[in-house]
Amino acid sequence: MQATPTPVGRALGRLGPALGAAGAVLALWSLAAWSGAVAPGLLPTPAETVAALVDSARSGVLATDLSASLARAGQGFALGAVIGGALGFATGYLPRLSAAVTPVVSFLRPIPAIALVPLATAWFGIGESAKRLLIAYAVLLAVWLYVHDGVSRVPVSHLRAARSLGAPLHRRFTEVLLPAAAPALLAALRYGASVALLALVAAELGGADAGLAYRLQVDGQFLRVDRMFAGLLVLGLLGVAADLALAAVGRRFVHWSAS
């Protein structure tokens, strides 16, 4: 009889491929740094990057930058997700509204947030409002696409059946439309979180006095490559953490979806 795996064993089994991939990346990174293929001082080793990260944390710079970036990204993400999600549900459910809104959003989607930095700065200055709106703009477009597609794919027969049984509009939304489109909504939020970090970099490069992307720009001016890699590492870890958190929410609240 095969022994039942322990919780630790199951966790290691799930994390095994990810840990193996991370180990391979670290090994290749170390080999590239030690090989001399890149000029000395321009490609730090993983140990040097971690040392720079620890030094930044001890000095308090990391906490200041992380706090500023999380506030901007979080507020911009929330605003963009709420508007993009609501608009996606509306256009996915109402074909006439979709016919009016979809061309406008399709026109805006290829315009990246970084292209709007000069315009946002001219309109709102270099304060926080411009940064949050740029992030919200990018997230809104990303979330709208996923939610609109998910809602429009809900079978019309399900909604007609609920209506024929006398379900009012709010019950058709909460008991039919929302559960059916919930997997697409969670996918939209996961993608929107990564887009928020991308837009954060563009927003902070447009003018800031603190933040992860701002620190990358400052360190780049002084060729502090180890600190630049440390900043990139933090940005990547933030993206992973946000994705894992939203995936956990999906497993908890959208448990009926196999995906």
Side-chain angles (χ1 to χ4, degrees):
M1 180 181 296
Q2 186 175 4
T4 303
T6 64
V8 175
R10 289 195 297 268
L12 290 177
R14 290 194 299 267
L15 293 175
L19 293 175
V25 170
L26 289 175
L28 291 173
W29 179 3
S30 299
L31 287 174
W34 293 332
S35 68
V38 180
L42 295 183
L43 181 58
T45 64
E48 291 170 340
T49 300
V50 172
L53 183 61
V54 171
D55 181 65
S56 178
R58 286 176 176 172
S59 66
V61 171
L62 178 60
T64 300
D65 291 337
L66 193 58
S67 176
S69 291
L70 284 177
R72 292 166 186 147
Q75 293 169 9
F77 171 77
L79 179 60
V82 168
I83 298 175
L87 186 62
F89 269 100
T91 57
Y93 183 70
L94 302 171
R96 290 186 178 180
L97 181 62
S98 175
V101 172
T102 299
V104 177
V105 180
S106 298
F107 172 80
L108 293 175
R109 283 184 57 235
I111 302 176
I114 194 170
L116 298 177
V117 169
L119 186 60
T121 303
W123 283 355
F124 304 104
I126 61 173
E128 295 300 313
S129 296
K131 297 174 181 57
R132 293 165 185 160
L133 289 175
L134 282 172
I135 297 169
Y137 162 82
V139 173
L140 185 158
L141 298 178
V143 169
W144 172 86
L145 179 64
Y146 276 77
V147 175
H148 170 83
D149 183 69
V151 172
S152 63
R153 291 177 182 271
V154 175
V156 178
S157 58
H158 293 182
L159 296 170
R160 288 176 177 170
R163 184 167 52 193
S164 66
L165 292 173
L169 179 60
H170 71 276
R171 291 194 62 184
R172 295 201 300 270
F173 175 80
T174 57
E175 298 179 17
V176 179
L177 192 62
L178 184 58
L185 176 60
L186 261 296
L189 295 178
R190 292 177 69 178
Y191 181 57
S194 64
V195 169
L197 292 176
L198 293 174
L200 171 71
V201 174
E204 290 187 350
L205 291 179
D209 55 8
L212 296 173
Y214 162 79
R215 194 63 55 189
L216 279 170
Q217 186 179 38
V218 172
D219 291 335
Q221 292 173 351
F222 295 95
L223 283 181
R224 296 172 177 171
V225 183
D226 55 344
R227 296 192 179 188
M228 293 173 65
F229 268 72
L232 294 173
L233 181 63
V234 172
L235 280 172
L237 291 175
L238 280 180
V240 171
D243 189 68
L244 290 176
L246 289 170
V249 171
R251 287 191 297 271
R252 172 66 178 82
F253 294 102
V254 196
H255 52 81
W256 58 87
S257 172
S259 60

